[in-house]
Amino acid sequence: METTAGLRERKKAETRQAIHKATMRLAVERGLDHVTVDDIVEAANVSRRTFSNYFGNKEDALLYGEEQRIRSLVRAVRERPAGESGWQALRGAVRDELENVGEPEREWAVRTLLTRRHPALLARQLANHAELERELVQAICDREGSGEPGADLKRRIMAAAFLVALRIATNIWIEEQEARPLSEIMEQALDEVARTFA
């Protein structure tokens, strides 16, 4: 039997997701500049106060899905087997995420294209990626310990190279209009940098 606290958290997650989906749909239909918070609350069938309880603005609501994926990826890296190197943990985490969540939906490609067109979204996305890079470096440090001199630099380069490979793979996937699975393109991109960190 589900506890009251568990039910409450599930309802909150559903509300966040409904607001996010409404924001995405409206941004695709009208362009983000032509969408107001009032439009979103009407489409999501929530009050303006409810919107404000979950998101600070429409950009927050639009990027919610990406931010959830970021948290999930960091968690997956931390949960990888202890014997794996940092690079193995990063690659394994991506595979785990794609297996658990499945290939990204069209929404991911649409959100990426919207971000390219809106400076406010792009700035927010860059900040998200910088935070993700910091968290991945910390996860690798926690896994590998202090290590030899220069280890910190290597871990920073490793995390940055990993994220660049994922970004390039995503861009190719979008440019090819999702003709191949994203997982296949990501594996190819990660293979290109694997020799350095394997």
Side-chain angles (χ1 to χ4, degrees), residues 88-119:
Q88 290 168 331
L90 292 170
R91 289 197 75 162
V94 168
R95 286 188 198 110
D96 289 350
E97 286 296 289
L98 289 171
E99 285 176 16
N100 293 337
V101 179
E103 287 285 324
E105 298 173 0
R106 178 78 182 130
E107 175 187 315
W108 194 358
V110 170
R111 185 174 52 241
T112 301
L113 293 171
L114 280 170
T115 301
R116 290 178 185 172
R117 285 185 239 135
H118 295 279

Side-chain angles (χ1 to χ4, degrees), residues 120-140:
L121 287 177
L122 186 56
R124 173 70 179 272
Q125 188 177 57
L126 289 172
N128 286 346
H129 290 183
E131 179 60 27
L132 172 58
E133 186 175 317
R134 282 190 294 275
E135 291 190 32
L136 290 177
V137 169
Q138 187 59 55
I140 295 165

Side-chain angles (χ1 to χ4, degrees), residues 166-183:
L166 297 186
R167 180 176 51 80
I168 290 170
T170 301
N171 288 338
I172 291 170
W173 179 67
I174 292 168
E175 289 161 10
E176 292 180 353
Q177 299 182 358
E178 305 146 61
R180 293 186 288 157
L182 179 58
S183 55

